[in-house]
Amino acid sequence: MGFDPVYLLFAAPAMLLSFFASMRVKSAFSKYSKVRAFSGLTGAQAALQMLRSNGVTDVQVRKISGMLTDNYNPTNKVLSLSPEVHDGTSLSSVGVACHEAGHALQHASGYTWLRLRSAMVPITSISSKLSMWVILLGCTLQMAGLILIGVALFAVGFLFSVVTLPVEWDASARAKAHIVNSGIVSPEQGSDAGSVLNAAFLTYIAAAASSLLTLLYYLLRSGALNGRGRN
Ligand SMILES: [Zn+2]
């Protein structure tokens, strides 16, 4: 088994897209982290306000280290914000903080796609660890059935990245609506704050697209093994 040049055809666009998306989110975040939001609220205050105004009082907001490490953990109801988002008063800070609060609201209201995504977490973490090894073992033993099982395990990860899309889109939609409606940002600032969240969404599209390309590559390869013989 040597290097497969066909793999480059699939991997290169995926890598380019991921690179482009991560550049976009960093540049949008840094651009709008220099623009102060109309209300002067910090990200942490904005997130708390969004939670409270939707009747959610049992979510803790904490500061964590790192950059763009912000997340909401449904298992302990902790909303973790990176220092710049937690303490910052910029469009980027309140936008990202309210996006995470959007996840907490999804959790509180039992939003279907979030429930599906959470249910998929355990199986996805196992299948993504196993898939590569099962495929390699199938190739080594030249067992097409085993390869297909490995590809099916990989497909679980792809489905997970697809289910993530509505979850992320909806959290951003909730954030965009709240920051404008509650006056955290001015109506004119709404689209700028939203563009940070749109750039972040692009990274999830890139992840799903690159997972799809890898899946297509595996399917092409395993099909070749079944049909025209091995190479
Ligand atoms: Zn999110």
Side-chain angles (χ1 to χ4, degrees):
M1 259 194 331
F3 178 73
D4 183 358
V6 176
Y7 180 68
L8 257 191
L9 278 178
F10 288 82
M15 280 164 66
L16 278 176
L17 189 61
S18 299
F19 178 74
F20 174 73
S22 107
M23 288 283 104
R24 274 286 300 274
V25 71
K26 278 181 190 136
S27 82
F29 186 90
S30 111
K31 180 176 178 187
Y32 294 112
S33 64
K34 297 178 185 84
V35 183
R36 185 180 179 275
F38 174 74
S39 63
L41 291 186
T42 63
Q45 289 168 338
L48 274 173
Q49 192 225 59
M50 182 169 163
L51 292 169
R52 299 269 151 77
S53 67
N54 284 278
V56 173
T57 53
D58 59 349
V59 169
Q60 272 188 61
V61 176
R62 285 187 200 155
K63 201 193 301 196
I64 48 159
S65 59
M67 195 196 168
L68 295 175
T69 45
D70 313 82
N71 69 86
Y72 170 70
N73 185 346
T75 56
N76 57 4
K77 296 191 178 181
V78 169
L79 201 163
S80 303
L81 300 175
S82 58
E84 197 172 344
V85 170
H86 189 278
D87 300 327
T89 56
S90 69
L91 295 183
S92 296
S93 300
V94 296
V96 171
C98 288
H99 169 92
E100 297 307 333
H103 285 310
L105 294 182
Q106 289 172 337
H107 184 218
S109 66
Y111 179 64
T112 308
W113 290 102
L114 181 73
R115 277 165 51 193
L116 179 59
R117 187 181 185 276
S118 302
M120 285 179 77
V121 167
I123 175 148
T124 305
S125 72
I126 295 168
S127 67
S128 65
K129 281 183 196 112
L130 280 182
S131 67
M132 184 63 88
W133 295 107
V134 174
I135 290 170
L136 277 177
L137 190 65
C139 289
T140 312
L141 302 175
Q142 299 191 338
M143 287 171 67
L146 199 56
I147 295 176
L148 279 179
I149 290 173
V151 174
L153 288 170
F154 185 85
V156 174
F158 165 65
L159 281 181
F160 183 77
S161 68
V162 170
V163 168
T164 297
L165 296 177
V167 176
E168 293 303 328
W169 182 261
D170 177 79
S172 287
R174 289 172 196 244
K176 288 175 194 171
H178 179 79
I179 55 177
V180 174
N181 295 340
S182 65
I184 293 176
V185 305
S186 67
E188 300 76 45
Q189 291 180 323
S191 69
D192 287 345
S195 71
V196 178
L197 300 179
N198 292 345
F201 184 69
L202 200 62
T203 63
Y204 293 100
I205 300 229
S210 74
S211 183
L212 175 64
L213 285 168
T214 309
L215 179 62
L216 288 175
Y217 170 77
Y218 285 155
L219 286 172
L220 181 84
R221 273 301 174 218
S222 58
L225 196 85
N226 285 335
R228 290 175 286 105
R230 302 169 189 107
N231 47 12

